Amino acid sequence: MKRLLIFIIIGFLFIVMVSCVFAQTNTVSKIVIEAEHFSQITPSMKVSVDNKASRGKCIEIPLILPHGTDESGPSDTGKTVYKIKIPADGIYRFWARCWWYDGCGNSFFLQCDSKPKVTLGSDQTFKKYHWVKGPKLKLSQGIHYIRVINREDGAKMDQWLLWLLDSSSKDNWIPVRAERETGQYIVE
């Protein structure tokens, strides 16, 4: 009888442990989207071939020559729109893997749903892909629209991601290389 009771207790503890591990691995901490996998694109934003991009393509605001010498704003309403499914309520950090031409070609506007657009970029890392830290976004479970909007010509984006900030230490994470896309969050 004691052996049976011990066996039942051990079996129960094993099931609880496996359930906890499964629950932890089932939690999504990042959603990665290739920039060329948009729902809609409006010129002058375009898809370009780029052998340094993660899958050989990126979106870009084409360089206009003569190139601007100030940050006078966009010359058109070029943009890409992404329709995505967020699996869980939370605060997410937006990151984008970008390539900047120069100090007047180093940013996009970013807009989530109907919230005001914000500037993404303006850092001083030029002519190489690097991760740019964007805003924190409070998102509910369900469908959301992310817009990457023309701000300066010569700017490119390879990927973007949303990182779930389910603990304060999570905001210290910085991506360092191209990430694997999680295409299951793209809504057709």
Side-chain angles (χ1 to χ4, degrees), residues 43-106:
S44 69
M45 192 77 75
K46 71 175 198 169
V47 175
S48 295
V49 173
D50 185 337
N51 64 358
K52 298 212 171 162
S54 60
R55 288 196 175 172
K57 291 183 181 178
C58 66
I59 59 166
E60 77 168 312
I61 304 165
L63 186 63
I64 299 170
L65 296 176
H67 181 56
T69 56
D70 63 13
E71 295 189 22
S72 58
S75 60
D76 61 43
T77 57
K79 68 180 174 224
T80 52
V81 180
Y82 303 87
K83 186 177 179 182
I84 59 167
K85 181 172 65 172
I86 298 296
D89 294 356
I91 296 174
Y92 293 80
R93 171 68 71 187
F94 186 93
W95 285 91
R97 189 168 184 261
C98 297
W99 184 99
W100 306 136
Y101 181 74
D102 62 12
C104 292
N106 65 342

Side-chain angles (χ1 to χ4, degrees), residues 13 111 188:
L13 291 174
Q111 184 178 34
E188 299 289 328

